[in-house]
Amino acid sequence: MVNPQRKRVLSGIQPSGNLTIGNYVGAIRQWVEHQSEFDAYYCVVDLHAITVEHDPKILAEKSREVAGIYIACGLDPAQSTVFVQSHIPAHSELAWLLTCITPLGWLNRMTQFKDKSAKQEANSVSNGLLSYPVLMAADILLYQAQAVPVGDDQRQHLEFTRDLAQRFNHMFGETFTIPEAMIPLAGARIMGLDDPTAKMSKSETAQYHAVYILDDPDTARKKIMRSVTDSGRDIRFSDDPEKAGVNNLLNLYQALTGQSREAIEDHFATARGYGDLKKEVAEIVIETLRPIQARYKELAEDSRNIDELLAQGTMRAAAIATQTLQQARENMGFLPAHS
Ligand code: TYM
């Protein structure tokens, strides 16, 4: 039942590639931390994962894996509704309704579209990649979410969602809640370990780019020990592009320990060099991931565990999504279907 005291939130992750420590600190961790305060909906956004080329042989398995990781990270299905986007057709339908009122210029301005399309042959860039933010807006607006806990890279998509909701409400009458982005203070943008000028991304496949949530301890340690830094030895938070590698490791350390910047700089003041910093970051990452991996292993032993949780989540989510879609159709003037 909806408790009006609790803030309604919705967020999601694409089941493409392997989930990274960036996905954890930027998104999942804040979902878990605040779940008792929220009326929360977390989906595996599989319809978004097909906006670039995907492998049909692994899509289903990846969706189940992402849902399993949500639970293993601490989402409690009794408190948070976990579901798969494509199991609720209202997402696609609302996306179409919204597509028809989206100015093309708004889509052409999206930096994620520009970045992702630049990496592909012009002829293979799909309409889906361009329309991606409309589907994301539909995900959020269907649940009348007031807040959307995401990492820093989703700011522009949230602005787009707000603009689109306002446009719809203006054209057809009050229909959607205007959502706000909820971005963590620490860890909102973890950078690549092999290139600290680029965001850590699960779709980047270079071997030493990202620590994955399911990486074993040795692999995680190796990746962090090999991370790109500079030739200095000063361990301080800094905006200097030269120091981006060290700054990134410090950000990760801060996000995982919850300590203040001053305390962290004091702690590393006596370090002998970046090697000491890397070792400590590796340890805190490994210790954070250890219980998550153990829970995941247990859950994944029987795929029915996750599928059953998802089936319950679908029922709860569909009840709200269907109601909002109905209202949007009615406000747009569609002839109601009579059975
Ligand atoms: P996706 O799948 O790229 O990323 C999922 C979440 O992880 C955050 N994140 C990061 N945070 C910190 N550092 C990083 N390096 C990092 N990389 C990713 C993202 O900000 C995000 O919160 N468009 C979304 C998926 C989506 C969605 C939605 C999100 C679809 N519909 C509705 C919220 C609400 C995306 O591509 O996320």
Side-chain angles (χ1 to χ4, degrees):
M1 275 297 102
V2 178
N3 175 345
Q5 307 303 314
R6 289 193 299 161
K7 202 179 232 190
R8 175 78 61 76
V9 304
L10 175 129
S11 198
I13 299 184
Q14 299 184 62
S16 50
N18 297 315
L19 263 57
T20 71
I21 191 81
N23 297 129
Y24 178 71
V25 296
I28 308 174
R29 203 193 38 170
Q30 50 164 351
W31 306 353
V32 173
E33 263 175 20
H34 300 286
Q35 65 181 328
S36 60
E37 301 154 34
F38 292 156
D39 177 25
Y41 296 80
Y42 295 116
C43 53
V44 178
V45 289
D46 53 349
L47 295 169
H48 281 91
I50 62 164
T51 56
V52 292
E53 205 180 321
H54 79 285
D55 182 352
K57 290 196 202 71
I58 61 168
L59 181 62
E61 204 35 64
K62 278 281 158 196
S63 294
R64 198 182 275 129
E65 179 182 297
V66 173
I69 290 177
Y70 287 180
I71 310 284
C73 287
L75 276 189
D76 172 2
Q79 296 196 67
S80 300
T81 298
V82 175
F83 64 101
V84 172
Q85 182 190 32
S86 69
H87 294 174
I88 301 188
H91 288 253
S92 314
E93 186 173 344
L94 183 62
W96 177 251
L97 304 187
L98 295 173
T99 296
C100 294
I101 64 152
T102 304
L104 202 47
W106 291 12
L107 293 172
N108 281 321
R109 276 205 295 277
M110 293 290 115
T111 45
Q112 187 169 306
F113 173 69
K114 288 191 213 162
D115 291 350
K116 285 197 176 173
S117 56
K119 288 187 191 148
Q120 295 180 31
E121 290 261 346
N123 276 338
S124 62
V125 175
S126 73
N127 188 357
L129 190 61
L130 181 67
S131 299
Y132 178 113
V134 184
L135 179 59
M136 177 161 164
D139 300 338
I140 297 166
L141 301 179
L142 265 182
Y143 297 88
Q144 307 287 10
Q146 291 153 299
V148 183
V150 282
D152 183 66
D153 62 330
Q154 297 300 314
R155 259 178 219 280
Q156 196 186 32
H157 286 155
L158 254 296
E159 275 309 308
F160 173 95
T161 302
R162 290 167 61 87
D163 290 347
L164 196 54
Q166 271 155 356
R167 186 174 168 88
F168 190 103
N169 288 351
H170 184 70
M171 290 169 82
F172 305 112
E174 278 308 305
T175 311
F176 298 121
T177 303
I178 311 297
E180 273 174 30
M182 211 176 124
I183 297 180
L185 291 174
R189 179 177 282 266
I190 300 299
M191 310 305 278
L193 297 174
D194 57 346
D195 173 7
T197 64
K199 189 195 73 167
M200 182 182 281
S201 160
K202 61 179 138 52
S203 46
E204 176 57 65
T205 51
Q207 196 182 356
Y208 294 101
H209 172 75
V211 171
Y212 300 132
I213 293 179
L214 298 181
D215 268 346
D216 63 68
D218 284 346
T219 307
R221 187 177 294 106
K222 203 185 286 170
K223 288 175 175 178
I224 292 167
M225 295 309 292
R226 288 183 68 135
S227 64
V228 170
T229 46
D230 56 89
S231 56
R233 46 184 300 128
D234 204 16
I235 303 178
R236 300 200 154 274
F237 287 90
S238 133
D239 295 332
D240 180 353
E242 287 281 301
K243 299 263 172 204
V246 168
N247 196 53
N248 189 38
L249 292 174
L250 286 171
N251 276 332
L252 188 53
Y253 188 86
Q254 185 190 13
L256 294 176
T257 60
Q259 293 171 12
S260 70
R261 290 184 162 208
E262 297 73 49
I264 294 171
E265 288 181 349
D266 281 354
H267 173 73
F268 286 112
T270 53
R272 277 161 304 160
Y274 294 156
D276 287 358
L277 168 67
K278 289 179 177 178
K279 266 191 216 135
E280 287 208 39
V281 172
E283 284 322 305
I284 182 89
V285 166
I286 290 167
E287 289 317 314
T288 303
L289 296 182
R290 198 187 297 282
I292 295 174
Q293 294 175 355
R295 277 197 296 271
Y296 178 77
K297 193 161 168 257
E298 221 173 278
L299 260 176
E301 261 164 25
D302 185 347
S303 62
R304 282 173 302 184
N305 292 335
I306 298 171
D307 293 352
E308 276 164 24
L309 292 173
L310 288 172
Q312 289 164 19
T314 302
M315 277 197 343
R316 296 211 296 249
I320 296 173
T322 316
Q323 207 180 350
T324 310
L325 176 64
Q326 195 53 39
Q327 191 63 56
R329 290 170 58 112
E330 202 176 305
N331 292 1
M332 283 184 105
F334 284 96
L335 175 68
H338 287 287
S339 51

